[in-house]
Amino acid sequence: MSQFYNDAIFWVEVEKIKPNPYQPRRDFDPAQLKSLADSIRQYGVLQALVVTRKEVEKPEGGLGVEYELVAGERRLRAARLAGLVQVPVLIRTGEETDLMKLELAIIENIQREDLSPVDRARAFERLTKEFNFTHAEVGKKVGKSREYVSNTLRILMLPEFILTALSEGKITEGHTRPLMMLIDRPQEMETLFKEIVFKKLNVRESEGIARSIAVEKARKLLDHELIEIEGMFKEKLGTRVRIEKRNEGGRLSIDFFNKDDLRALLDRIDKEHLQTEVTQASPAEV
């Protein structure tokens, strides 16, 4: 049996097409819809919508036909805005499960890159929660890697006001990375978000701020002994030294200005090592 009824395009009244209840896209930009409607008035709907068809009993008796949209809601909305009475459709054959409707709507939007990052994340979330798909299975369905799906879903950990700003284009998907770095520090996250919006920070600038906040947090976890050792390093080397503590071990950072400065630091370390050896040696050995 073919996927579409008679492999043909039919013309169906716009008012007879019901929306897809599993449409993952929530936001439709009014300016873009108007632009598409203007194009449709001039050239018509160039790509057929995909619908399902079923016969239903009318309240007054007899049978009627209902169409439910599977893919093409943006085109349908624009067609209504353009005042079209009928639109071209492909009618899918066979019973459509809820999962199939959701899958088709998600895949069409992703292939056309019509979903906002938030809508895409929520669509992936429905596949994982309502249909128990793993991240790898979702990735296979939409032609993306497991990591892509996992990273997309992490966006939903952000507070609603940030998700709204992302949907409205006030921040980019790239800005979510530095914001996620502060997920356990909501006040700092909100402050950084406001700076991104009002100061028009780019992603790199935002990451720099988030990283410095994260480092400062780690430094506050330093115990007294490490702080004392850090001070001794600064005194001995005469430059800025920073100790970053981690779950296992840590990192020692030493600032320098240029190669000459770095060589001078190395010479100073060598001299300290030599003086220590001389101090510890016996008179006979000296």
Side-chain angles (χ1 to χ4, degrees):
M1 180 177 287
S2 63
Q3 182 183 10
F4 298 107
Y5 186 74
N6 288 341
D7 287 328
I9 292 178
F10 296 85
W11 288 86
V12 173
E13 288 82 355
V14 171
E15 63 181 21
K16 289 186 177 180
I17 302 176
K18 298 168 59 179
N20 180 355
Y22 292 93
Q23 168 61 247
R25 186 174 184 181
R26 298 185 180 184
D27 301 313
F28 293 85
D29 185 88
Q32 291 183 1
L33 277 180
K34 184 180 182 301
S35 177
L36 181 56
D38 292 341
S39 176
I40 286 174
R41 286 191 192 96
Q42 187 171 358
Y43 302 107
V45 179
L46 300 182
Q47 183 179 359
L49 286 65
V50 179
V51 300
T52 57
R53 177 185 183 276
K54 67 178 179 180
E55 294 182 346
V56 294
E57 290 187 7
K58 294 181 178 181
E60 63 273 14
L63 293 176
V65 176
E66 276 188 359
Y67 299 92
E68 186 174 280
L69 190 66
V70 174
E73 183 161 344
R74 183 168 172 267
R75 277 164 283 156
L76 179 62
R77 291 186 180 215
R80 285 174 175 157
L81 191 61
L84 267 62
V85 177
Q86 294 180 322
V87 289
V89 303
L90 288 165
I91 302 175
R92 286 188 64 89
T93 59
E95 289 294 324
E96 297 290 347
T97 64
D98 292 344
L99 174 58
M100 182 63 70
K101 292 175 185 176
L102 177 59
E103 278 186 36
L104 289 172
I106 291 173
I107 291 168
E108 189 220 19
N109 278 287
I110 287 178
Q111 287 177 345
R112 295 170 60 87
E113 298 184 349
D114 277 347
L115 284 180
S116 73
V118 178
D119 285 345
R120 183 173 67 240
R122 285 175 172 147
F124 288 173
E125 184 181 47
R126 292 187 70 177
L127 287 173
T128 59
K129 288 188 175 180
E130 295 181 28
F131 303 104
N132 297 318
F133 281 13
T134 65
H135 292 188
E137 289 170 335
V138 173
K140 188 175 181 181
K141 289 285 184 184
V142 299
K144 302 289 184 179
S145 67
R146 180 196 61 77
E147 292 78 11
Y148 175 88
V149 175
S150 299
N151 290 334
T152 298
L153 284 166
R154 289 181 70 238
I155 292 174
L156 298 180
M157 297 171 64
L158 293 168
E160 194 62 35
F161 68 89
I162 293 181
L163 295 180
T164 299
L166 179 58
S167 295
E168 294 175 351
K170 294 179 179 178
I171 63 173
T172 69
E173 189 170 4
H175 284 116
T176 62
R177 294 195 300 271
L179 290 169
M180 288 295 299
M181 292 169 65
L182 304 175
I183 196 68
D184 60 341
R185 307 190 75 179
Q187 289 184 337
E188 284 86 347
M189 179 195 292
E190 184 174 353
T191 300
L192 177 57
F193 166 74
K194 290 178 179 178
E195 286 189 284
I196 291 171
V197 173
F198 295 112
K199 294 184 180 179
K200 308 296 182 184
L201 300 180
N202 60 35
V203 174
R204 179 174 295 182
E205 291 169 334
S206 305
E207 287 179 338
I209 294 173
R211 197 171 290 113
S212 66
I213 294 173
V215 168
E216 194 59 35
K217 176 188 176 183
R219 285 181 54 76
K220 289 181 179 179
L221 298 177
L222 290 176
D223 58 35
H224 180 73
E225 184 180 1
L226 287 180
I227 293 174
E228 185 178 345
I229 293 173
E230 184 181 81
M232 293 169 65
F233 268 112
K234 291 178 182 178
E235 183 179 349
K236 292 288 185 183
L237 299 179
T239 188
R240 187 183 180 198
V241 176
R242 182 180 292 266
I243 296 176
E244 299 175 24
K245 185 178 180 182
R246 298 178 177 176
N247 291 334
E248 294 183 6
R251 173 186 292 178
L252 175 66
S253 301
I254 302 173
D255 285 4
F256 63 93
F257 295 104
N258 49 45
K259 291 182 180 179
D260 291 337
D261 190 33
L262 185 60
R263 290 188 181 279
L265 286 172
L266 182 59
D267 290 341
R268 191 171 300 172
I269 292 172
D270 285 341
K271 288 179 181 178
E272 287 286 340
H273 179 65
L274 180 60
Q275 289 175 0
T276 301
E277 288 184 337
V278 171
T279 301
Q280 291 178 347
S282 65
E285 289 173 321
V286 174

